[in-house]
Amino acid sequence: MDLSSAHRLRFCRILSIFMLLTIALAVQGLVLPVAFAQDGQAGSNTVDARRAAAVAQARAGQLDHAFTQLAELHARYPADLTITFDFAVVASWMGKDQDAVDALADIDLAALPAYVRQPYAKSLRNLKLWSRALTVYTLLEQDAAYQPGAAFGTILTLADAGQTELAADKLANLERADFSEDELLQYYFSCGYVRERGRDFVSALDCYNLGLRIDPEHQELKRRRVIVASALGATKFASGEVAQAPGLVTAEERAQIELDADAMLIRWAGLSSGLERRQEMRDLLQRRQQRDPLLTDTQRRVLLYDEIVAHVAIAQMEQALAKARLLRAQGVSREDLPAYVLESLGFAYMYLEDPDAAIALFRLALEKIPVQGAAKQRFRTSVGLFYALSDGERFAEVTELVTELKAAEQAWERPTPRIWLENDRYTDSLHLAVLAKAYREQYDAALHELDELLALAPANNDLRLTRAAITRWRGWYRQSEHELGRVDSSDPLLARWVQMAHLKLATQHFSAAQEALEKARLIDPLDKAVVDAAQRWQHHNQPAWEISTTSARSDGGQLGNESYQLDATVFSAPLRENYRLFARDRVRYAEFSEGVGRDHRLGGGLEYRDGAWTATAGIHTGLEQNDDAGTDVSLSWRPDDYWQHSAELQLNSIETPLRGTRQGVKGDLLTLRTAYRWHESRQADLQVAALDLSDGNQRQSLNLSYRQRVLNWPRHKIAVLTGFYTSRNDSDNVAYFSPRNDRDLGADLEHEWRPWRRYDRAFVQRFTVGLGSYQQDGFGSDGRWQATLEHEWQLGDGLSLSYGGSVGRRPYDGVQEKQRSVFLTVRGLL
């Protein structure tokens, strides 16, 4: 092979290698892109497969794993809208509404597929993003495939947003003729939901029940029905449904149902009383202390509201006020409290005898109660206000309130076009008008109106009990007992037994009073009226004392220039019901021109009280100028509501003129008295007396008086007292004043002013001015006058105090004497 041949051969080899390399490179250039393409396709297929698998799992109910996978893919491929959409849908299905909303926040709503819009709209609704939810549902409604479901979504969102009227209108415009069974179920659910949000719970319950007729096992319908039934007060039904299907409601809803059940028990507690009801309230409060339900702040606040009402229902008033103070410490003012809580607190203050605080609460409650649609609640609260104003003696406001109540009520109610019912509130308003007059002591007018009502409703126990109370207040005890006898005894009325206890105590039938009180206690020992009656009975069974003293000065000598009297008595507690022992200390002192007169008696005795009869028998001994023993015997009889007769015999009487006592004169006194009392405003008295003195003188006297109240206002009363007195003495030649014959004719004008009274505490001022003509045989006639000012304090249920002064002039043996005196009386219980 020559050189050229060798070179050619080498060149060919090199060329071959180059060509092979070129081909290889070319092949490599084609293969790598394909390989990369295949690898990319394989990766894409893997992501889609994972997404599809997650979606399949979600549809199969495996939401947790599906959500985890889609969340990971969404985080890795945020620009992949398909993944974003699937992630948002599954998040919505799981109730992770915020995740769903966040994922779709930056996406144009128009770009959302319909299958995404539906769950997205629901998440928006759950998050209370009403405006955006309504926009999404509106877009869905434009897609025929999602009608009428989208319309139901719009209706529910409007209801949630508080636009219940608009929701109801849209619901009413839906055509149900072609609805499938599922769509009918949605319709009835939406119907109930809209009514429920509008607080028309009765209509809501009807809608839910119609849906359950189609599918009795529809869980959401059953759930809403339970919640609405609980809100309506059918808490026993609601609790039973939850007990049968514990998973029907959430833990929060279960807690609310339990609260509703307690609240219903509490609200009904205010409408009745008695041991059983009060025990229910105690058990309820104890349950609440033992369990700690999952409650929201609002529910906890409502819990305190209902506990306040429960405490009031069982007369735990201080605990109720403590809960109210706790609410105030949490920033809840009185103005924030619902009306029923304000009303209960008002009754609490009434029980604690603070009518001014009660008035403010009742008025605030009335401001919160609608004028339309809440007539019963407004009337009940107004009744509380009536009694608070009456106890506070704000009589002008009482009259205004009663006038408003009568004007607001009609005699008949018409719950349906075909039914007319008698309106009990109208009768009650007329009853309150009667009580308003009675509390102002306008008894004649009150009884006149009451008798007119009883003529129309003779079997009305409340009216009959009121008549019994008014006649008792007037002192007509037999009439009161007659009225109580006409009350239906088959009805265990607490008020009947309370009134009977007061009546029997007033008429001195003590065992019957105790029996009536015990019957009242069996019904409800914590009722305020029962508590007050029991307190009065307790006071009756306590020892009592009384001290009365008078100090006087005269510029003449007939009665003593300086004089002083003291009468102190202590009574034991009742013995064998009808008896009381007593001890008595009486002192008289006077300075005369010829010397000082002293008479000090110390003694005791026994008192007997039974029905119309009262008798006392006592003995005493003298410790000063009259040191002899003496005896006092008295007897009083009240045969009916008008007449009262009494007699008293005093042997060695303390009524013997003190000027004669210092000279050893003693006397025996017999007094007979009869009185006719028409009522509290009119009375006539006749008294005759005979005093047999040891110096041979005998004195007979007659005293006739008549009292008539001429002005009877709540705080001011004016009475006129007219009287005639005459006496005769066998001798006028004695050491003491002893006219042969004398006569006195005069009249007094008494003004009584009561500026303040709170239950068993009161202040009364009496001012009396009297004018008269006194005639004495041998000395002619002359005028007399006297003015007296007295203050009377009732300091509590067991202590009273009265004091005052008097000034006047009158003739003795033709000579005018000016007299001045001060007096003090204190009564109390031991």
Side-chain angles (χ1 to χ4, degrees):
M1 176 179 301
D2 57 14
L3 183 57
S4 59
S5 298
H7 285 294
R8 284 195 295 270
L9 181 59
R10 184 178 296 121
F11 176 78
C12 289
R13 288 178 177 173
I14 292 171
L15 183 61
S16 299
I17 293 171
F18 177 77
M19 292 178 67
L20 288 171
L21 288 172
T22 300
I23 294 170
L25 289 171
V27 171
Q28 184 67 20
L30 291 172
V31 170
L32 283 175
V34 172
F36 280 122
Q38 289 178 343
D39 181 67
Q41 183 66 37
S44 176
N45 289 339
T46 301
V47 172
D48 188 61
R50 289 178 61 192
R51 180 192 62 77
V55 171
Q57 288 174 339
R59 289 173 177 168
Q62 301 175 22
L63 293 174
D64 289 337
H65 185 71
F67 179 78
T68 302
Q69 294 297 315
L70 289 171
E72 181 182 338
L73 290 172
H74 178 59
R76 185 173 179 182
Y77 306 105
D80 191 325
L81 292 181
T82 303
I83 293 175
T84 299
F85 292 158
D86 289 343
F87 168 71
V89 170
V90 174
S92 180
W93 288 354
M94 288 192 68
K96 297 180 180 292
D97 299 310
Q98 193 61 57
D99 290 331
V101 170
D102 290 344
L104 302 174
D106 298 329
I107 299 175
D108 184 12
L109 294 179
L112 293 177
Y115 78 91
V116 179
R117 289 175 180 167
Q118 192 170 35
Y120 178 46
K122 184 176 181 180
S123 290
L124 289 169
R125 176 183 155 218
N126 291 342
L127 294 175
K128 301 182 180 180
L129 301 172
W130 317 123
S131 179
R132 191 170 177 85
L134 287 171
T135 302
V136 177
Y137 277 124
T138 301
L139 290 172
L140 268 175
E141 287 188 67
Q142 297 171 5
D143 190 335
Y146 286 89
Q147 279 286 359
F152 292 134
T154 300
I155 290 167
L156 296 177
T157 305
L158 288 170
D160 284 335
Q163 301 180 48
T164 53
E165 292 185 5
L166 188 59
D169 291 341
K170 189 172 182 64
L171 186 70
N173 291 330
L174 292 179
E175 293 289 342
R176 287 182 285 164
D178 297 328
F179 277 1
S180 65
E181 182 176 296
D182 288 341
E183 290 168 344
L184 274 175
L185 289 173
Q186 290 185 64
Y187 173 83
Y188 286 124
F189 176 83
S190 300
C191 169
Y193 194 80
V194 171
R195 279 15 177 226
E196 182 182 343
R197 289 299 179 187
R199 304 195 66 78
D200 183 0
F201 297 125
V202 174
S203 298
L205 192 62
D206 287 340
C207 293
Y208 292 143
N209 282 330
L210 289 171
L212 286 169
R213 288 181 185 178
I214 299 172
D215 183 1
E217 299 303 320
H218 194 287
Q219 293 301 295
E220 190 61 21
L221 283 170
K222 290 175 69 175
R223 173 174 165 270
R224 298 310 311 178
R225 181 175 68 169
V226 164
I227 293 172
V228 168
S230 178
L232 272 173
T235 52
K236 186 174 182 180
F237 165 80
S239 300
E241 290 286 290
V242 172
Q244 292 180 3
L248 187 62
V249 296
T250 65
E252 292 85 352
E253 289 165 345
R254 178 190 291 270
Q256 183 60 56
I257 289 171
E258 291 174 353
L259 292 179
D260 287 343
D262 291 348
M264 183 55 56
L265 185 63
I266 288 169
R267 308 295 167 78
W268 277 98
L271 302 179
S272 62
S273 58
L275 293 173
E276 183 178 352
R277 177 62 65 185
R278 295 196 190 279
Q279 188 58 49
E280 287 178 347
M281 292 299 99
R282 293 189 184 92
D283 293 343
L284 181 148
L285 288 170
Q286 187 175 6
R287 287 200 306 272
R288 288 192 166 188
Q289 293 172 358
Q290 292 174 349
R291 62 183 171 89
D292 184 22
L294 183 61
L295 299 175
T296 65
D297 290 342
T298 300
Q299 288 173 324
R300 291 186 186 281
R301 183 175 297 178
V302 172
L303 185 71
L304 281 174
Y305 292 165
D306 287 343
E307 286 179 357
I308 288 173
V309 179
H311 282 303
V312 173
I314 58 178
Q316 293 179 351
M317 306 308 179
E318 293 294 348
Q319 291 90 325
L321 298 184
K323 293 285 175 68
R325 289 191 291 270
L326 177 61
L327 283 168
R328 198 175 306 125
Q330 295 175 356
V332 181
S333 67
R334 282 187 173 181
E335 289 71 18
D336 298 328
L337 296 175
Y340 73 93
V341 178
L342 292 167
E343 178 187 293
S344 288
L345 289 173
F347 285 117
Y349 278 110
M350 286 281 290
Y351 196 97
L352 297 174
E353 299 184 351
D354 188 349
D356 293 330
I359 289 167
L361 289 163
F362 286 132
R363 290 199 186 279
L364 185 56
L366 284 171
E367 291 177 6
K368 291 177 174 287
I369 302 172
V371 176
Q372 301 295 331
K376 291 183 179 180
Q377 186 181 5
R378 283 191 66 84
F379 190 84
R380 185 179 66 244
T381 306
S382 297
V383 171
L385 177 60
F386 168 84
Y387 286 108
L389 290 171
S390 298
D391 286 358
E393 296 200 312
R394 293 160 67 164
F395 297 113
E397 295 174 66
V398 170
T399 302
E400 181 181 356
L401 175 64
V402 169
T403 302
E404 292 176 356
L405 289 176
K406 290 196 296 184
E409 300 295 341
Q410 300 298 321
W412 297 89
E413 287 185 306
R414 195 176 185 182
T416 69
R418 296 185 178 182
I419 297 178
W420 289 84
L421 297 176
E422 188 174 354
N423 183 5
D424 291 337
R425 296 188 304 277
Y426 177 74
T427 305
D428 290 342
S429 68
L430 299 179
H431 188 187
L432 291 178
V434 170
L435 287 173
K437 288 182 172 60
Y439 294 155
R440 294 168 65 98
E441 298 182 42
Q442 296 176 351
Y443 298 131
D444 285 333
L447 286 175
H448 176 72
E449 293 185 11
L450 190 59
D451 288 341
E452 289 182 343
L453 291 175
L454 282 168
L456 299 174
N460 188 306
N461 285 334
D462 290 336
L463 297 177
R464 191 67 64 186
L465 286 168
T466 296
R467 198 178 198 287
I470 294 175
T471 50
R472 175 167 57 85
W473 296 339
R474 304 202 81 175
W476 296 342
Y477 297 141
R478 282 167 177 77
Q479 287 192 44
S480 180
E481 187 170 16
H482 175 71
E483 295 296 339
L484 289 177
R486 299 181 66 180
V487 173
D488 184 3
S489 59
S490 64
D491 188 355
L493 289 171
L494 180 68
R496 178 176 183 269
W497 293 115
V498 170
Q499 285 211 43
M500 188 67 75
H502 285 296
L503 177 63
K504 293 302 182 182
L505 191 55
T507 56
Q508 303 186 147
H509 293 94
F510 303 120
S511 59
Q514 183 177 17
E515 180 182 353
L517 179 59
E518 290 304 321
K519 289 183 177 179
R521 280 172 164 166
L522 288 174
I523 298 173
D524 188 353
L526 297 179
D527 185 270
K528 177 62 172 170
V530 178
V531 172
D532 290 344
Q535 188 176 54
R536 185 184 175 197
W537 175 251
Q538 179 185 356
H539 293 163
H540 163 76
N541 288 293
Q542 289 180 251
W545 57 272
E546 178 180 338
I547 298 175
S548 180
T549 181
T550 302
S551 178
R553 175 177 294 180
S554 174
D555 59 6
Q558 291 296 338
L559 301 179
N561 301 110
E562 299 283 347
S563 62
Y564 169 79
Q565 292 187 27
L566 171 70
D567 192 339
T569 307
V570 178
F571 290 92
S572 73
L575 306 172
R576 298 181 63 180
E577 294 184 351
N578 300 106
Y579 297 90
R580 285 197 304 178
L581 295 173
F582 65 87
R584 193 171 188 181
D585 187 14
R586 290 181 289 184
V587 177
R588 293 189 301 158
Y589 170 90
E591 297 176 0
F592 303 102
S593 58
E594 67 273 18
V596 174
R598 296 186 182 91
D599 190 1
H600 187 182
R601 312 287 182 97
L602 188 64
L606 181 68
E607 178 188 64
Y608 174 79
R609 298 174 295 175
D610 186 10
W613 296 91
T614 300
T616 62
I619 58 174
H620 60 265
T621 184
L623 303 177
E624 294 282 353
Q625 294 167 346
N626 182 339
D627 57 0
D628 286 351
T631 301
D632 296 338
V633 179
S634 67
L635 181 65
S636 176
W637 176 46
R638 184 173 180 174
D640 56 28
D641 287 340
Y642 305 101
W643 288 101
Q644 184 170 1
H645 311 292
S646 63
E648 182 178 14
L649 175 64
Q650 297 180 6
L651 301 180
N652 191 13
S653 171
I654 199 168
E655 301 298 330
T656 301
L658 187 57
R659 200 167 190 175
T661 298
R662 65 175 302 278
Q663 296 187 2
V665 177
K666 302 176 178 63
D668 300 328
L669 176 65
L670 174 64
T671 303
L672 301 176
R673 176 178 177 267
T674 186
Y676 187 85
R677 183 180 182 276
W678 286 265
H679 43 67
E680 75 292 336
S681 296
R682 185 188 305 161
Q683 180 171 326
D685 287 84
L686 173 64
Q687 178 178 296
V688 294
L691 177 62
D692 186 8
L693 297 165
S694 60
D695 61 0
N697 186 24
Q698 289 188 349
R699 173 181 295 174
Q700 295 87 35
S701 64
L702 178 147
N703 194 339
L704 178 63
S705 65
Y706 175 80
R707 177 189 178 91
Q708 174 69 57
R709 185 179 291 173
V710 295
L711 179 69
N712 187 28
W713 292 351
R715 299 188 189 279
H716 296 273
K717 304 182 191 306
I718 295 178
V720 174
L721 299 86
T722 58
F724 173 75
Y725 170 83
T726 183
S727 71
R728 63 171 303 277
N729 291 270
D730 289 345
S731 174
D732 57 0
N733 187 23
V734 290
Y736 46 88
F737 181 63
S738 178
R740 282 282 185 177
N741 288 284
D742 63 348
R743 290 158 295 280
D744 186 291
L745 179 63
D748 294 350
L749 187 68
E750 179 189 84
H751 173 251
E752 180 179 293
W753 174 44
R754 188 183 65 215
W756 175 80
R757 180 175 65 182
R758 282 294 184 273
Y759 302 96
D760 54 7
R761 299 177 297 280
F763 170 69
V764 175
Q765 174 181 284
R766 294 185 186 90
F767 178 71
T768 305
V769 58
L771 299 173
S773 175
Y774 178 75
Q775 183 180 19
Q776 180 181 349
D777 284 2
F779 296 95
S781 63
D782 201 352
R784 66 163 179 83
W785 65 270
Q786 185 174 15
T788 304
L789 179 66
E790 177 185 5
H791 286 171
E792 180 179 323
W793 292 87
Q794 185 67 40
L795 301 176
D797 51 17
L799 182 63
S800 66
L801 166 71
S802 65
Y803 56 85
S806 176
V807 61
R809 294 182 68 89
R810 64 164 300 143
Y812 292 95
D813 291 339
V815 178
Q816 286 279 354
E817 290 190 13
K818 184 178 181 180
Q819 300 169 337
R820 300 172 297 280
S821 66
V822 293
F823 53 88
L824 169 69
T825 300
V826 186
R827 298 180 180 89
L829 299 173
L830 295 175

